[in-house]
Amino acid sequence: MGRVANRSAGLLALALLTACSLSGAANESKELPGAVQRQPPVAVTPVDKAANVATDQPVVVSAQGATLKSVRVDGGKAGRLRGVLSGDGTRWRSTSTARPGASYTVTAVTVDTAGKQSETTSSFTTVKGDKTFDIQSITPNRDDTGLTVGIGMPVMIAFDKPVSDRIAVERNLTIRSSKPVEGAWHWFDDSHVDFRPQEYWPAYTKVRLEAKLAGVRGGQGLYGKRDVTLDFKIGRSQITKGTTDEHVLTVRRDGKRIRTMPMSAGQGGQWKYYTTSGVHLAMSREPVTVMTSPGIGPGQSGYYQLTVYNTVRISNSGEYVHSAPWSVGSQGNSNVSHGCVNVSPENAAWFIKNTLIGDPIIITGSPRKLEPTNGWGHWQENWKEWLKWSSLKAGPSITF
């Protein structure tokens, strides 16, 4: 009995000693300067080491039990991705598009409730691109317009390669304006997309196009080359109206009639020289234009070649408002032209000087209608027809 009691006492002492030793070791580990600290959980999408990530997939960084002090997504030569932080500081989301074939590093710094900072890093690579597409031209442009344009002016973009992913491209085209407008993009084909408001632009509106296309997917293996921004202004409201029946052009500016000009329109006849009816836009202002009969060569009946002055182009089919001293006697009473709108030299000089590119010039009374694709016949389509060729829903411009 005595030996059993002594053995039990020894085991109890050993157990107590062991328990005290473990407790002491645990306390000491908390005090060690190199001890691993618990990190606030940070989630990053795409996940670390992800490959072949789509260029338009947003980078999302979320923190729990802490707030995000800073987030940096660096692609080296591909540049950094911009982003926005949520109001509570716990979620960051990229707002720009990544470049194809690039490697990005995400660095997020968080601050916990005790004020302690922690850093989390992650990386990913994007899908490789075989080709790039670029904006070949934008209208309006400084060379043609001086960037102050009429109230009917559309924004017209031509790409150097056809794009098949219209939704991705259109999603990255933004119109900002100083006055709110309802508007939509319209695809004429895979290489041309245009924007117009539902109604004419308000006079004296500032407009900005933001085409954030760098890295945007345009099709299989096809990605946008760069971002483009264009600022322009809408001038005063000027609308010119004329009828082939009454032979008069009336110009109204900001609602007030400022000039009336006798005119002569297309004579029709066997050559069908009709001036088209519809909402034309002033496309160019040309001091001198050489006009040649369409589809009729030298030596053929009906052939002509004329040098005319002070011309304002209104279609792609060769229609102009221009000086015609030879038809002054017919202006105001009959139609004798080959399809253009003839006015006197004095009126033509005034008109070219007082017209902005994009000013509406509305002609009525002719049996031939202006086609929407004949020049800038955008306003020939009603709003419902215009929206049929938009990849996204219509919406208001973003005001600034």
Side-chain angles (χ1 to χ4, degrees), residues 174-213:
T174 302
I175 295 292
R176 301 181 185 272
S177 60
S178 60
K179 299 177 183 179
V181 298
E182 184 84 6
W185 293 92
H186 180 292
W187 290 86
F188 284 94
D189 56 46
D190 284 343
S191 297
H192 298 86
V193 61
D194 297 357
F195 176 94
R196 57 156 266 214
Q198 183 175 1
E199 307 293 340
Y200 292 141
W201 294 97
Y204 310 109
T205 299
K206 296 179 181 178
V207 184
R208 172 176 296 166
L209 162 69
E210 293 179 354
K212 297 180 179 179
L213 297 176

Side-chain angles (χ1 to χ4, degrees), residues 349-371:
W350 180 93
F351 194 65
I352 192 173
K353 182 180 179 180
N354 286 275
T355 295
L356 293 175
I357 302 303
D359 278 348
I361 301 169
I362 304 171
I363 304 297
T364 58
S366 169
R368 180 187 171 189
K369 304 300 180 182
L370 176 68
E371 305 88 351

Side-chain angles (χ1 to χ4, degrees), residues 66-358:
T67 57
L68 293 165
K69 182 179 180 181
S70 66
V71 176
R72 176 172 172 169
V73 184
D74 195 344
K77 292 183 178 179
R80 298 181 188 177
L81 298 186
R82 301 181 298 274
V84 292
L85 186 64
S86 62
D88 62 2
T90 63
R91 183 180 173 88
W92 183 94
R93 186 182 188 278
S94 62
T95 57
S96 54
T97 306
R99 304 296 189 269
S103 298
Y104 288 88
T105 300
V106 182
T107 304
V109 177
T110 55
V111 180
D112 64 17
T113 55
K116 186 174 181 59
Q117 293 188 17
S118 301
E119 183 178 285
T120 300
T121 60
S122 179
S123 64
F124 65 92
T125 57
T126 55
V127 63
K128 293 183 179 180
D130 300 324
K131 299 176 292 183
T132 60
F133 71 94
D134 198 4
I135 290 179
Q136 187 175 58
S137 66
I138 300 177
T139 306
N141 62 73
R142 189 176 302 277
D143 293 339
D144 291 342
T145 69
L147 295 182
T148 297
V149 298
I151 59 173
M153 188 73 217
V155 178
M156 296 173 279
I157 298 177
F159 300 111
D160 63 350
K161 295 183 181 68
V163 298
S164 57
D165 196 338
R166 295 181 176 184
I167 293 177
V169 171
E170 191 174 323
R171 188 184 293 124
N172 287 276
L173 300 175
T174 302
I175 295 292
R176 301 181 185 272
S177 60
S178 60
K179 299 177 183 179
V181 298
E182 184 84 6
W185 293 92
H186 180 292
W187 290 86
F188 284 94
D189 56 46
D190 284 343
S191 297
H192 298 86
V193 61
D194 297 357
F195 176 94
R196 57 156 266 214
Q198 183 175 1
E199 307 293 340
Y200 292 141
W201 294 97
Y204 310 109
T205 299
K206 296 179 181 178
V207 184
R208 172 176 296 166
L209 162 69
E210 293 179 354
K212 297 180 179 179
L213 297 176
V216 171
R217 185 181 185 276
Q220 184 66 38
L222 180 68
Y223 293 88
K225 185 176 182 179
R226 61 185 175 125
D227 296 338
V228 176
T229 301
L230 174 71
D231 290 290
F232 62 95
K233 297 177 182 179
I234 306 299
R236 76 289 175 273
S237 172
Q238 181 168 300
I239 301 175
T240 299
K241 292 184 178 181
T243 171
T244 61
D245 298 325
E246 297 179 0
H247 317 291
V248 173
L249 283 178
T250 301
V251 183
R252 292 183 180 274
R253 181 176 296 174
D254 296 328
K256 297 180 180 180
R257 186 173 62 182
I258 61 171
R259 198 170 184 94
T260 299
M261 301 179 291
M263 60 167 266
S264 179
Q267 60 185 286
Q270 63 172 322
W271 304 112
K272 298 183 180 179
Y273 288 138
Y274 291 108
T275 304
T276 55
S277 282
V279 182
H280 306 76
L281 297 179
M283 299 172 59
S284 65
R285 297 167 295 191
E286 304 169 19
V288 181
T289 303
V290 177
M291 298 183 178
T292 304
S293 53
I296 302 175
Q300 294 180 300
S301 176
Y303 172 79
Y304 65 87
Q305 185 177 76
L306 297 172
T307 300
V308 296
Y309 301 92
N310 291 330
T311 70
V312 175
R313 188 178 193 119
I314 61 174
S315 77
N316 276 345
S317 57
E319 294 170 292
Y320 293 79
V321 178
H322 67 79
S323 171
W326 57 86
S327 70
V328 169
S330 298
Q331 293 166 20
N333 58 76
S334 58
N335 297 320
V336 298
S337 83
H338 294 107
C340 288
V341 177
N342 289 181
V343 294
S344 70
E346 179 185 358
N347 283 328
W350 180 93
F351 194 65
I352 192 173
K353 182 180 179 180
N354 286 275
T355 295
L356 293 175
I357 302 303

